[in-house]
Amino acid sequence: MKALRVTLATLFIFAPLQVGCNRKQTVQEKTAAPSSEGAVQQQQGAQPDGDARALFDRGMDAYRHNRDDEAVEDFKRTVEADPDFAEGFYRLGLAYNVTRQTDEADKAFEQGVKAFEKLTKQDPKNSDAYYFLGLCYEKLGKYDEAVKALKEAVKNSPTENDDKYFELAQAHYKLAQYDESVRALNKTLEINPDYFPAQELLEQARSGATRVEEFRKHQEQLRKQQTGNTNSNANNSGNGANTNSGARSKSNTAPPT
């Protein structure tokens, strides 16, 4: 099964979602509302440092208005002022990405993973913390971990959330787990029928699921064919041996002259 999964991932993800530096190319910036960190912190009975909160809000304003270098500096100062401000690391990673500082972005997302994991350990039912943890893992390309985190986000969400199901669907899609992606996307569209990115991804996921099924059928046909050839060769070999044995038997029992 592991070998099949690797093969599927190699063969079938030929049309992945475009995830570039441009903020317009990803849904995550839209879905991760700037007020979410406040909700995460309040569940812990703690609020971000006042200065850090002000810097974070400034960074969000700069980011929304394409002042990307300014956003980087504000988010850097945010996490310096409050190292436990988990969403600050996530937003810093996004700002680094749009300024094409990919190495720095990865470092910020890794710090985000640590900060959000800390929150989930403090409160194992913190849906928003799991959600942002999943987003950080997605940005790092760690889709197995993203799936685990986003499943917890969905499971523990107080209300059904289309964004959380959509991100779960994307993570499944990246792993070529198309059936799981389709299920999550159907749930997304059940909650929000007008979610256009989900509609688009659903077509791709269904196409991927069809390709996987055709591939598996082809592999099964090859297996049966190989099994049949092996049995046929074994039978032919046995028949040849019986013929030779019979010939030797006749020779040995011939009467003397």
Side-chain angles (χ1 to χ4, degrees), residues 147-185:
V147 164
K148 293 176 184 177
L150 291 166
K151 281 183 176 179
E152 290 297 319
V154 166
K155 182 175 74 173
N156 292 292
S157 183
T159 58
E160 291 186 331
N161 185 292
D162 53 350
D163 294 328
K164 292 174 182 177
Y165 275 105
F166 179 74
E167 291 300 335
L168 175 59
Q170 285 201 111
H172 277 306
Y173 183 86
K174 288 291 188 177
L175 292 169
Q177 297 171 350
Y178 298 120
D179 289 336
E180 293 88 340
S181 183
V182 167
R183 284 194 289 271
L185 289 165

Side-chain angles (χ1 to χ4, degrees), residues 23 58-72 74 99:
R23 63 174 60 82
R58 280 175 47 184
M60 288 302 304
D61 182 72
Y63 186 84
R64 290 193 202 97
H65 293 90
N66 300 333
R67 302 194 308 272
D68 299 323
D69 291 330
E70 182 182 330
V72 166
D74 286 333
T99 56

Side-chain angles (χ1 to χ4, degrees), residues 72-133:
V72 166
E73 292 305 313
D74 286 333
F75 290 134
K76 281 174 63 177
R77 293 175 63 192
T78 296
V79 295
E80 288 170 359
D82 186 352
D84 290 326
F85 200 148
E87 191 181 347
F89 288 109
Y90 172 70
R91 298 292 177 178
L92 177 58
L94 295 182
Y96 273 134
N97 264 345
V98 296
T99 56
R100 301 186 183 280
Q101 301 179 66
T102 54
D103 290 341
E104 294 303 318
D106 286 347
K107 292 177 184 177
F109 291 129
E110 288 168 357
Q111 289 299 114
V113 165
K114 293 178 182 178
F116 283 114
E117 282 185 339
K118 180 178 178 180
L119 288 178
T120 60
K121 289 178 181 178
Q122 293 173 352
D123 181 1
K125 295 188 179 298
N126 191 326
S127 176
D128 288 336
Y130 281 116
Y131 175 60
F132 277 93
L133 175 60

